């Protein structure tokens, strides 16, 4: 009998592809969502009301926790920031409470999303998983998120947290937002343009989650980013090249970005020079380590 996995956030960019790949590999996949759908393996929960269909855990050996309100879509009002944090922290707490209430559960592993925002803005500093938690809303959110996830250790679960950079996919996510001004012939660097932008191809992101499920020696935090990060200038130039659009040397000033995005400008201007050495040492093999090859697969195939 195939092993069973529970995925939260299965309707998101990564979750949809991950579910497909897991099913193709012979896994049985349960999902948790806010609405009922015509799928016997989908179960309903309401994080804010604290309700969940506990049948979602039946036969499950691993949970992949991807659920969380999108960070960049709406203005960061105090209410929105609370939603972003609560959707991650309270959902984790609800899953753990459900596990505690089901002593006959078979769950061994809890694989959770996190983000490189954990480190805050660190300039050129090379960031390993041992680097300190930074400052700013994203750093605060990631710290509260990971602290909630770590409580699963008290339940004797193997905990893995994948601190993700920008996931590139032609199906959505950050890439269409990044290439939109370039397609409109106004592509240029943001702020200084020197900020490091950790990236990851969707194929490698999905493969990394499956690798974390299947390799029981993996524990704690891993930077889920390609081994060669690029600066904002380098990334913008590369996208412009693939789209055959101009790259303008005039930079968009930090103050303009802050005026347009408000506090969300933090996500655009933050510099994270992440190291992928730990995940490489764990034996994970990237399909895309080169940005040019990654963009070729997304734009030209």
């Amino acid at each position: 009998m195939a092993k069973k996995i529970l995925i939260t956030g299965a309707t998101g960019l990564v979750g949809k592809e991950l579910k497909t790949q897991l099913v193709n590999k012979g896994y049985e996949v349960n999902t948790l969502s806010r609405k009922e759908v015509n799928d016997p393996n989908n179960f309903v929960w309401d994080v804010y009301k604290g309700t969940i269909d506990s049948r979602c855990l039946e036969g499950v050996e691993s949970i992949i926790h991807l659920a969380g309100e999108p960070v960049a879509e709406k203005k960061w009002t105090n209410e929105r920031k609370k939603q972003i944090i609560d959707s991650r922290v309270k959902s984790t707490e609800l899953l753990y409470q459900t596990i505690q209430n089901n002593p006959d559960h078979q769950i061994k592993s809890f694989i959770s999303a996190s983000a490189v925002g954990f480190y805050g803005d660190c300039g050129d500093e090379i960031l390993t998983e041992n680097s300190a938690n930074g400052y700013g809303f994203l750093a605060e959110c990631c710290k509260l998120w990971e602290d909630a996830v770590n409580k699963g250790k008290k339940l004797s679960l193997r905990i893995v947290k994948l601190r993700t950079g920008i996931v590139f996919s032609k199906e959505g996510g950050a890439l269409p937002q990044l290439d939109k001004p370039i397609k409109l012939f106004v592509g240029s660097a943001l702020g200084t343009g020197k900020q490091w932008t950790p990236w990851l191809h969707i194929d490698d992101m999905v493969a990394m989650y499956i690798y974390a499920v299947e390799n029981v020696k993996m524990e704690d935090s891993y930077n889920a980013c390609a081994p060669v990060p690029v600066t904002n200038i380098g990334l913008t130039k590369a996208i412009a090249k693939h789209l055959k659009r101009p790259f303008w040397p005039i930079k968009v000033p930090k103050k303009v970005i802050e005026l347009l995005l408000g506090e969300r400008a933090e996500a655009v201007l933050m510099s994270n020079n992440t190291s992928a050495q730990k995940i490489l040492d764990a034996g994970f093999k990237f399909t895309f380590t080169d940005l040019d090859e990654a963009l070729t697969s997304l734009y030209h195939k």
Side-chain angles (χ1 to χ4, degrees):
M1 181 178 175
K3 291 181 180 178
K4 188 183 286 189
I5 293 175
L6 171 65
I7 302 179
T8 74
T11 58
L13 182 73
V14 174
K16 283 189 289 188
E17 184 61 26
L18 178 58
K19 180 184 176 182
T20 298
Q21 292 294 332
L22 284 167
V23 170
N24 288 344
K25 283 176 68 73
Y27 286 91
E28 188 175 350
V29 178
N30 284 355
T31 56
L32 272 169
S33 65
R34 287 177 284 191
K35 297 178 181 179
E36 287 189 22
V37 295
N38 187 24
D39 179 353
N41 291 105
N42 182 74
F43 301 87
V44 177
W45 68 339
D46 188 318
V47 170
Y48 302 106
K49 291 181 180 177
T51 58
I52 186 171
D53 187 339
S54 62
R55 293 177 300 168
C56 66
L57 299 182
E58 290 178 4
V60 169
E61 292 190 14
S62 296
I63 296 175
I64 300 177
H65 186 31
L66 306 176
E69 292 285 348
V71 169
E73 287 185 4
K74 298 179 181 179
K75 184 180 179 181
W76 285 357
T77 61
N78 288 337
E79 181 183 2
R80 182 59 180 172
K81 287 196 284 188
K82 187 177 187 300
Q83 286 178 338
I84 290 170
I85 292 173
D86 285 352
S87 64
R88 289 159 171 78
V89 173
K90 290 186 180 298
S91 60
T92 304
E93 292 172 345
L94 182 56
L95 287 167
Y96 285 162
Q97 187 60 54
T98 308
I99 291 171
Q100 281 186 305
N101 292 342
N102 289 268
D104 295 329
H105 74 83
Q106 301 172 39
I107 299 161
K108 299 179 179 67
S109 304
F110 192 94
I111 319 297
S112 177
S114 183
V116 294
F118 176 92
Y119 304 111
D121 184 7
C122 294
D124 292 332
E125 177 189 351
I126 296 175
L127 301 170
T128 71
E129 290 77 2
N130 293 323
S131 297
N133 180 223
Y135 300 95
F137 171 66
L138 292 177
E140 175 195 4
C141 177
C142 290
K143 179 67 164 61
L144 292 170
W145 189 5
E146 291 196 11
D147 285 348
V149 172
N150 285 338
K151 291 178 182 177
K153 294 175 184 176
K154 295 179 182 178
L155 301 174
S156 300
L157 302 179
R158 178 176 65 94
I159 303 297
V160 180
K161 295 159 292 183
L162 298 182
R163 292 176 179 164
T164 310
I166 297 175
V167 178
F168 288 159
S169 167
K170 56 188 172 186
E171 302 302 324
L175 191 57
Q177 301 302 316
L178 289 167
D179 69 19
K180 186 175 182 180
I182 298 169
K183 287 179 176 178
L184 296 173
F185 293 87
V186 289
S188 59
L190 303 177
T192 66
K194 296 179 181 178
Q195 64 270 33
W196 291 97
T197 306
W199 62 276
L200 188 68
H201 192 288
I202 182 100
D203 290 356
D204 283 324
M205 182 76 267
V206 168
M208 200 177 289
Y209 274 108
I210 296 173
Y211 193 78
V213 167
E214 295 178 343
N215 288 267
V216 295
K217 291 183 179 180
M218 281 185 67
E219 286 197 64
D220 208 17
S221 303
Y222 293 83
N223 289 335
C225 309
V228 186
V230 295
T231 62
N232 177 260
I233 288 177
L235 176 58
T236 310
K237 280 184 175 179
I239 295 173
K241 172 190 165 187
H242 281 271
L243 293 177
K244 294 182 170 56
R245 296 289 193 273
F247 170 82
W248 301 101
I250 301 170
K251 297 169 185 172
V252 181
K254 176 182 177 183
K255 288 185 178 179
V256 173
I257 297 168
E258 290 174 339
L259 187 65
L260 291 171
L261 297 179
E263 199 176 343
R264 284 181 297 161
E266 174 189 319
V268 175
L269 299 170
M270 180 182 295
S271 181
N272 294 127
N273 189 9
T274 51
S275 166
Q277 195 57 52
K278 185 177 179 183
I279 192 72
L280 289 168
D281 289 344
F284 182 76
K285 291 179 172 56
F286 288 85
T287 300
F288 298 97
T289 58
D290 179 78
L291 178 62
D292 192 60
E293 290 179 2
L295 293 176
T296 296
S297 80
L298 295 169
Y299 284 125
H300 309 297
K301 291 184 180 178

